[in-house]
């Protein structure tokens, strides 16, 4: 067992971990391989990390798979990523289902192909009664787009006279986000060395503990996850108050 895995306090596990899975392209290029090779390897890491979360008793895992800005990439890479996503849902859903994983996709799926939307719908439907781990996959997700969508929905309710402007509060906005069923993330991990949020869960991460690593996503494993959780367990979460 790894050093950090041994050090973890099982009573203080984060309920919800969010991950920016970054560095697939650089991982592949370092090996003289095309970027898509890195994305393919990244899918293997997802499998590993899902299993690690189940093992560690983490209840929710939200992973950033494709951002609203990732459409800017070359068409070939975008198409390759979409193919990988469909393949993931089609090939892995049965096994994830057996392991008690509930799959949910957050983001604007309307913009995806029919094929992708059908694969997602099948995976969500098949796993909807599972409760061991919630695996939330952010696809065509952007934090700003999510908030714009929430504002429009609330504006419509105001227009219809169902909501008064003064009644709008945190909770009402949270209820219009893709993540309405989930508690806010406790810990956000970004691999690949960049220290930014890149439009991920900008509302929900308000009080998350942030943890960054140089490790590229394809090299991330249960020991790196344990290292992040160990760091989390040693933070003092004050939420604006004073030391407990
Ligand atoms: C994966 O890493 C993130 C996705 C958008 C799928 P990248 O593709 O951003 O890899 P780097 O950052 O270029 O190395
Ligand atoms: C964030 O990574 C998006 C995903 C992991 C899906 P990017 O590689 O797109 O972010 P930037 O461009 O470095 O900010
Ligand atoms: Mg990147």
């Amino acid at each position: 067992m790894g050093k950090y895995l041994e050090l973890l306090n099982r009573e203080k596990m984060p309920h919800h971990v969010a991950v920016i899975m970054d560095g697939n392209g650089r991982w592949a290029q370092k090996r003289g391989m095309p970027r898509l090779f890195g994305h393919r390897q990244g899918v293997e890491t997802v499998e590993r990390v899902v299993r690690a979360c189940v093992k560690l008793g983490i209840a929710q895992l939200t992973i950033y798979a494709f951002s609203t800005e990732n459409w800017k990439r070359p068409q070939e890479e975008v198409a390759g990523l979409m193919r990988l996503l469909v393949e993931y849902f089609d090939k892995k859903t049965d096994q994830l289902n057996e392991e008690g994983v509930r799959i949910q996709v957050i983001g604007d799926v309307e913009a995806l192909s029919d094929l992708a939307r059908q694969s997602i719908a099948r995976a969500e439907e098949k796993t909807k009664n599972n409760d061991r781990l919630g695996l939330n996959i952010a696809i065509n997700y952007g934090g700003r787009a999510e908030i714009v969508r929430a504002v429009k929905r609330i504006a419509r309710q105001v227009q219809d006279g169902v909501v008064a402007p003064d009644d709008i509060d945190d909770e009402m906005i949270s209820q219009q986000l893709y993540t309405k069923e989930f508690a806010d993330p406790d810990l956000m991990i970004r691999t690949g060395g960049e220290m930014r949020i890149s439009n991920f869960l900008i509302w929900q991460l308000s009080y998350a503990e942030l943890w960054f690593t140089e490790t590229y996503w394809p090299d991330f494993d249960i020991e790196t996850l344990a290292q992040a959780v160990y760091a989390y367990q040693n933070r003092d979460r004050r939420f604006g108050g004073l030391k407990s």
Side-chain angles (χ1 to χ4, degrees), residues 44-63:
E44 300 303 316
T45 306
V46 171
E47 281 220 77
R48 212 159 51 225
V49 170
V50 165
R51 235 169 255 129
C53 285
V54 170
K55 187 168 165 190
L56 295 178
I58 291 166
Q60 293 282 339
L61 172 67
T62 300
I63 54 177

Side-chain angles (χ1 to χ4, degrees), residues 20-22 64-67 70 73 190 194 196 198:
I20 301 179
M21 315 184 283
D22 198 22
Y64 205 7
F66 193 89
S67 77
N70 287 146
R73 297 188 180 195
R190 181 170 186 149
E194 311 292 358
R196 54 178 171 254
S198 299

Side-chain angles (χ1 to χ4, degrees), residues 22-237:
D22 198 22
N24 292 348
R26 281 166 286 163
W27 181 90
Q29 278 164 338
K30 210 174 78 183
R31 288 164 174 74
M33 298 296 281
R35 295 177 53 83
L36 266 171
F37 179 69
H39 294 314
R40 192 165 281 283
Q41 203 56 43
V43 176
E44 300 303 316
T45 306
V46 171
E47 281 220 77
R48 212 159 51 225
V49 170
V50 165
R51 235 169 255 129
C53 285
V54 170
K55 187 168 165 190
L56 295 178
I58 291 166
Q60 293 282 339
L61 172 67
T62 300
I63 54 177
Y64 205 7
F66 193 89
S67 77
T68 46
E69 288 73 41
N70 287 146
W71 298 105
K72 293 176 192 164
R73 297 188 180 195
Q75 199 268 332
E76 190 192 315
E77 182 169 347
V78 171
L81 280 166
M82 290 299 157
R83 264 199 313 277
L84 272 180
L85 284 167
V86 171
E87 202 180 296
Y88 179 75
F89 290 116
D90 292 352
K91 286 201 181 147
K92 308 290 181 182
T93 296
D94 284 347
Q95 198 189 327
L96 289 167
N97 190 35
E98 275 166 34
E99 288 167 10
V101 177
R102 177 175 185 184
I103 301 171
Q104 284 177 281
V105 168
I106 60 169
D108 181 12
V109 294
E110 293 304 312
L112 306 181
S113 69
D114 288 348
L115 193 72
R117 276 186 290 129
Q118 283 159 10
S119 290
I120 291 167
R122 269 199 302 270
E124 288 183 331
E125 174 61 27
K126 187 154 210 174
T127 62
K128 71 178 180 202
N129 295 319
N130 296 338
D131 60 5
R132 192 129 184 242
L133 170 73
L135 172 62
N136 316 310
I137 309 181
I139 304 175
N140 194 21
Y141 174 88
R144 288 190 174 183
E146 180 182 40
I147 292 170
V148 168
R149 174 176 170 270
V151 168
K152 283 184 183 163
R153 289 172 154 222
I154 294 169
R156 248 173 250 126
Q157 294 178 341
V158 170
Q159 196 174 37
D160 293 345
V162 193
V163 165
D166 280 340
D167 292 339
I168 299 171
D169 59 7
D170 275 31
E171 186 49 30
M172 193 182 286
I173 294 172
S174 293
Q175 282 308 312
Q176 296 299 338
L177 303 176
Y178 295 119
T179 52
K180 64 171 186 283
E181 292 171 37
F182 321 137
D184 286 343
D186 301 294
L187 168 65
M188 196 286 289
I189 297 170
R190 181 170 186 149
T191 62
E194 311 292 358
M195 299 213 195
R196 54 178 171 254
I197 299 293
S198 299
N199 206 9
F200 188 45
L201 302 174
I202 53 178
W203 172 277
Q204 298 88 337
L205 291 175
S206 299
Y207 270 103
E209 296 299 325
L210 309 181
W211 191 81
F212 299 91
T213 175
E214 293 289 328
T215 303
Y216 293 141
W217 179 247
D219 291 329
F220 191 86
D221 61 10
I222 187 166
E223 181 62 7
T224 339
L225 175 66
Q227 189 181 355
V229 172
Y230 180 74
Y232 162 85
Q233 290 183 338
N234 288 286
R235 302 266 180 97
D236 180 27
R237 300 189 82 188

